[in-house]
Amino acid sequence: MTFLILALAAGWIIIAENTSQTVSFSIFHSASTTSSETSLIEEQEEMEKEWRQEYIDGNHTFDNPMVIQDPYGEAPLTALTKFRTENPSRITVTVASRGDVQDITHTYPAFNQEHEVPVLGLYPGTDNEVTIEAEDRQGNVQEQTVSLETDDTPAFAHNREVIESSPAEMEPGLTFITPGKSKAYGVDEQGDIRWYSSRTGGFVFKRLSNGNLLLGASQSEDKRNEYLFETDMLGKIQNQYKVNLPNYEDTNVIHHDAIELPNNNLLVTVHDNSNAYEEDTMVEIDRATGETVETLDLKDIFPAEAYEEYSGPNESDGDWMHLNAIWYDKENRSILISGRHQSAVLSLTYPEMNINWILGAPEGWSADMAKKVLEPENGNLKYPGAQHAPMILPDQDDNPDTKDVLLFDNNTTITRGDESISRDYSQGIQYRINEEEGTVETVWKYGEERGKDFFSNVVGDADYMYETTNRLLTSGYQKVNDGYQATIVETAGDTGEVVYELELSGIKKGDGRVVYRSERMPLYPEAWNYSSASPSGASSD
C-alpha cells in the first residue's frame, strides 16, 4: 500500500491506495475553518420585499398604520409598524405592562414623514396594547393605539418564580437567559417573557458594540450549533457564519464562547479534531469575509503531560482543558481564558499567547508555568474550581498595578484545588490581582453562605452591572428532588443584599435548557440607532 498526502488550502487530504480501493477523508486544519453564508439573509430580503410592496400598494397613514408582527420570523414578540405622517415627526412607541411593571417605551428622535418603527417587549399569549405617539417640531402630538395579539408562552420556557424583586435598586433592563441548547429569552422584573428568539441556540448570546446580538445557533434537526448569527433585536440577520468541522460528530461545535475583538473580528471557542483532543482551540473570524485569520491551540502553551496524562471529567473525549470563556483585556492587549478542567484562569497576550499570569491553585504546574501562578496576598486564598465567565471590572481602587476579576466559582476540584470543600457550595467571587507583584486577594464574594442550595457542578455566570455596580450571578444547574433548577441572583453593590432573585425550574438531566448564563441588558440597545425613517422613500429634515 502507498500513501499520498496532499496539502490543500482547505485542509489535509489523505488518500490511501491499494489494488482494490481508494479511501479519502479530510481532517480539520487551521487554514480554513470558518465561512460566511447568506442563505437566511436572502430569505429575509424576500420577506422585506413582500411587506414593503404591500405598504406601497396601501394607504398607511398615522391613523391607519401597517403592522408586521415578527417581521423576519426570528423574534415572535416584536413587530414593525409603517406609516406616513403629514408633518415631519418623531415617534415614541409604548407597550403597556402588567401590574406595577414599568411600560416599555422608546423614542426615535429623528423627525421624518415616512416611518418604519420597531416595537419590542410584547407579552406572549396576550392582546398587547401598543401606543404610538407622533410629535412634530411645533410640539403637536398625535396618539394612536393598536392591539397586537401574540401566541401562547413558548413551551421551551422554564417554570419561573420571582423570589425577590426591588426594581428601584436593580440594574435596568431585561434579564436574558442563555440556555445550553434551547432558545434564548428575556424576562422583566416580574419574570414575564418580553422577548425570545425562535431559533435553537447554543451557549453564545451577547450584545455587540453596534447593538446587534451575537447568537450561537443551529439550522439542523440534531441541533448542531455550528453557526453564529449577528442579528438586530427584530431578528434581522446581518451576518451568518459557519464553523466547519465535518469530522466532529458531537453537536456542540461552538462549545462555549465568542467575543468581539477591538479590530471588529470575532474570537470563538471551537475544536481541533485533527487529533484526540477537544475544547482547547480558538479561531479568530474575519467579520467581513467569515474566514479564519488566526487559530490558537492551547496545547501550544501547556506541556504535553497536561493533556496526555489528564484524568478527570470527559477524559475519554480528550477534554483536558474545557475552554469555557474568553474575555478581552484592552488595557494590555491580552485575553483571559477559563479552563474548567484545569481549574484555572490564564491571562495571555493576544495573539502571541505568552502567559502573563495564572489564577489557580499552585500544585500540578510545570516549572515554567509555576512561575506565572499568582501568589496569595495574605497567604491564604480560595482558588477557583471548574469556574466560568471571568470578566475584568472597571478600576476599583485607583491603583494602576491592580486588576479586578469577577467570575463564577463552581467550586468543583478538577486537576487542582481544595478537595475538602469541593462541591459544598458555588459562589460569585471577585479577585484583585496585582500584576506588577504577581499577587492576588479576594475582595468580594457571594454564595458560600447559601451552601449546597447554591451549588452548580456545571455552568454558571457572574456579571458586573456598570450602572449600579450590582453583580448578577447565575447558578445554572442545581440538583433538586425532581430534577434540576437554576437560580439568578442580583446583589446590590458590595453589600451582598439581594435585590432580585429568579428561580427557573423544570430542568431535566441532560436537558438543553440548562441555564448556561444570564445577561441584564436594555431591550432597546443604545448603539442600535434604528432610524424610524422608512427605507422605501424616506423623508426627513
Side-chain angles (χ1 to χ4, degrees), residues 163-392:
I163 308 300
E164 175 64 41
S165 182
S166 301
E169 301 173 70
M170 293 164 55
E171 184 84 3
L174 297 187
T175 303
F176 289 88
I177 295 157
T178 306
K181 192 167 292 184
S182 183
K183 297 177 175 67
Y185 63 98
V187 300
D188 63 20
E189 57 263 43
Q190 291 304 316
D192 287 320
I193 297 175
R194 309 299 295 272
W195 186 95
Y196 71 89
S197 171
S198 59
R199 184 167 297 279
T200 296
F203 299 119
V204 178
F205 184 92
K206 293 191 174 181
R207 179 157 282 161
L208 301 170
S209 59
N210 62 7
N212 288 336
L213 295 174
L214 185 66
L215 305 176
S218 170
Q219 284 208 84
S220 57
E221 292 184 3
D222 65 1
K223 299 182 180 179
R224 182 177 173 86
N225 65 325
E226 56 192 352
Y227 285 91
L228 283 172
F229 291 106
E230 179 183 345
T231 82
D232 67 15
M233 295 304 293
L234 288 171
K236 182 175 182 178
I237 298 171
Q238 315 290 326
N239 289 296
Q240 175 182 347
Y241 306 108
K242 184 179 181 182
V243 177
N244 303 300
L245 290 184
N247 299 309
Y248 182 72
E249 295 181 356
D250 204 348
T251 59
N252 62 333
V253 175
I254 302 170
H255 56 84
H256 280 99
D257 209 359
I259 64 169
E260 182 180 26
L261 295 170
N263 64 4
N264 203 44
N265 287 349
L266 302 174
L267 185 61
V268 187
T269 58
V270 295
H271 309 279
D272 177 355
N273 66 341
S274 66
N275 52 51
Y277 304 101
E278 66 178 24
E279 302 198 24
D280 59 6
T281 305
M282 295 171 281
V283 293
E284 181 180 333
I285 300 175
D286 186 301
R287 191 89 158 268
T289 66
E291 295 296 318
T292 299
V293 295
E294 292 280 359
T295 299
L296 302 100
D297 188 339
L298 293 175
K299 292 187 291 297
D300 291 340
I301 63 171
F302 278 78
E305 56 265 27
Y307 46 89
E308 291 176 352
E309 300 175 13
Y310 169 74
S311 59
N314 303 341
E315 174 186 357
S316 61
D317 297 325
D319 188 8
W320 67 278
M321 184 70 182
H322 201 90
L323 176 60
N324 63 21
I326 323 170
W327 182 272
Y328 188 79
D329 181 357
K330 61 183 179 181
E331 187 176 88
N332 57 5
R333 293 183 295 177
S334 298
I335 57 173
L336 299 188
I337 63 166
S338 169
R340 179 182 189 268
H341 292 171
Q342 293 297 316
S343 289
V345 174
L346 286 77
S347 171
L348 308 174
T349 61
Y350 187 83
E352 301 84 5
M353 289 209 305
N354 297 317
I355 301 174
N356 296 318
W357 47 258
I358 299 171
L359 173 59
E363 65 268 14
W365 299 101
S366 67
D368 287 341
M369 296 188 81
K371 298 174 185 176
K372 300 293 184 176
V373 175
L374 297 168
E375 297 183 1
E377 178 76 25
N378 301 310
N380 187 32
L381 190 79
K382 169 60 180 78
Y383 291 98
Q387 73 291 320
H388 287 77
M391 68 176 295
I392 296 173

Side-chain angles (χ1 to χ4, degrees), residues 42 63 75 238 245 249 268 315 425 441 457 469:
E42 291 167 359
D63 294 325
Q238 315 290 326
L245 290 184
E249 295 181 356
V268 187
E315 174 186 357
Y425 59 88
E441 61 179 325
N457 183 44
T469 74

